[in-house]
């Protein structure tokens, strides 16, 4: 099972249903522990990269390490 890094953003409009997300395709991790260790060191770079993808119009809220199935589930829901 692979783990991916996902960044969620603060919603400007709390009535909106869709929350902006950024999914990192690379790096991928074999364990949740590897992902958490990477995030603990690289969180600033992760937030900056994710924010830049939205031209810094959204404020990052959280970083998650999710499995391939969870990531697919997010996109199937939307």
């Amino acid at each position: 099972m692979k783990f991916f890094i996902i960044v969620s953003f603060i919603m400007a409009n709390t009535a909106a249903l869709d929350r902006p997300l950024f999914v990192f395709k690379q790096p991928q991790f074999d364990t949740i522990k590897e992902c958490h260790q990477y995030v603990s060191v690289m969180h600033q770079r992760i937030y900056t990269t994710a924010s830049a993808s939205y031209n810094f119009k959204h404020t990052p809220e959280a970083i998650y390490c999710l499995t391939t199935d969870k990531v697919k589930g997010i996109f199937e829901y939307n």
Side-chain angles (χ1 to χ4, degrees):
M1 183 176 316
K2 294 291 183 186
F3 289 85
F4 294 87
I5 296 171
I6 310 294
V7 176
S8 65
F9 293 86
I10 295 172
M11 296 173 55
N13 177 4
T14 56
L17 296 176
D18 292 333
R19 177 180 297 273
L21 297 174
F22 184 83
V23 178
F24 284 83
K25 294 179 182 177
Q26 293 293 330
Q28 298 175 15
F29 305 93
D30 293 323
T31 67
I32 191 81
K33 183 178 179 181
E34 289 174 355
C35 186
H36 284 166
Q37 288 173 335
Y38 181 86
V39 168
S40 70
V41 173
M42 302 299 289
H43 62 277
Q44 286 296 87
R45 181 173 288 169
I46 292 167
Y47 280 137
T48 300
T49 301
S51 294
S53 74
Y54 286 100
N55 295 318
F56 299 98
K57 293 181 181 179
H58 300 295
T59 303
E61 177 180 37
I63 300 172
Y64 300 96
C65 293
L66 299 179
T67 63
T68 305
D69 292 340
K70 299 265 186 199
V71 173
K72 286 180 183 177
I74 290 169
F75 289 104
E76 287 172 3
Y77 177 78
N78 289 322

